[in-house]
Amino acid sequence: MKAKELQELIDFIAKSGLNKVDIETEEFKIAIQREPNQKVTYVTGNAPAQQAAPAPAQAAPQISAPAPAAPAAPAAPVDDSSRYVTIKAPMIGTLYRSANPESPAFVNVGDEIKKGQVICIIEAMKLFNEIESEVSGKIVKVLTDNATPVEYDQPLFLVDPS
């Protein structure tokens, strides 16, 4: 594995939100683990010839990976925001606001939505998961851009349930 490929793999894992990945081939063995403080550590070495005894762990150099940037939510007036319901991401992945690039967005600001209506898609591990609204109401604010990574429990939409 080349250094550039290794760096791309580390960057992908840092952006995806995975905490640990182990990859083993006949040529190499790599374990990548992300610590809670967003540092990525990795251990490389030759794959063990026998599986009977595990090889001793080598000292793991640490590489700092940038934390994925979360979109900043503009401050809304306190009296108005208290009645809004926040729809949050149920998983990590890449958010898509439409089924494909040629299709219109599932929902836009001002749209009336119903409980169970598909409001976006989150792609995780090459699986496209339709995210349905848990509330009925009017979309007040879209908090994420199309084709951007989202974290678990990240606010996606503000809904006025009245």
Side-chain angles (χ1 to χ4, degrees), residues 45-105:
N46 294 333
Q50 299 178 8
Q51 296 295 333
Q58 299 175 347
Q62 292 189 356
I63 297 176
S64 295
V78 176
D79 55 329
D80 288 340
S81 65
S82 63
R83 70 173 189 235
Y84 298 151
V85 175
T86 303
I87 298 177
K88 297 181 178 181
M91 64 183 65
I92 61 169
T94 302
L95 179 127
Y96 295 101
R97 296 198 46 223
S98 62
N100 60 53
E102 294 82 32
S103 298

Side-chain angles (χ1 to χ4, degrees), residues 5 12 24 26 33 44 49 65-66 76 85 97 107 121 124 128-129:
E5 293 171 328
F12 172 77
E24 184 173 345
E26 292 178 2
Q33 183 169 354
T44 60
V85 175
R97 296 198 46 223
V107 294
I121 294 175
F128 292 86
N129 303 283

Side-chain angles (χ1 to χ4, degrees), residues 2 18 23 31 42 58 92 94-95 102-103 127 143 150:
K2 296 177 183 176
L18 295 173
I23 300 172
Y42 66 95
Q58 299 175 347
I92 61 169
T94 302
L95 179 127
E102 294 82 32
S103 298
L127 295 175
L143 302 172
V150 293

Side-chain angles (χ1 to χ4, degrees), residues 83-87 107 110-119 132-140 157-162:
R83 70 173 189 235
Y84 298 151
V85 175
T86 303
I87 298 177
V107 294
D111 289 354
E112 292 288 332
I113 60 170
K114 295 181 181 176
K115 185 175 182 177
Q117 179 180 342
V118 175
I119 56 173
E132 297 176 350
S133 175
E134 296 179 359
V135 297
S136 295
K138 182 178 180 181
I139 298 289
V140 176
F157 302 94
L158 283 181
V159 177
D160 184 357
S162 54

Side-chain angles (χ1 to χ4, degrees), residues 6-7 9-15 18-19 31-43 60-66:
L6 183 61
Q7 185 61 45
L9 177 64
I10 291 169
D11 291 341
F12 172 77
I13 291 169
K15 289 178 185 175
L18 295 173
N19 289 330
I32 301 173
Q33 183 169 354
R34 184 170 69 123
E35 301 297 325
N37 60 0
Q38 298 293 324
K39 290 189 178 178
V40 177
T41 59
Y42 66 95
V43 179
Q62 292 189 356
I63 297 176
S64 295

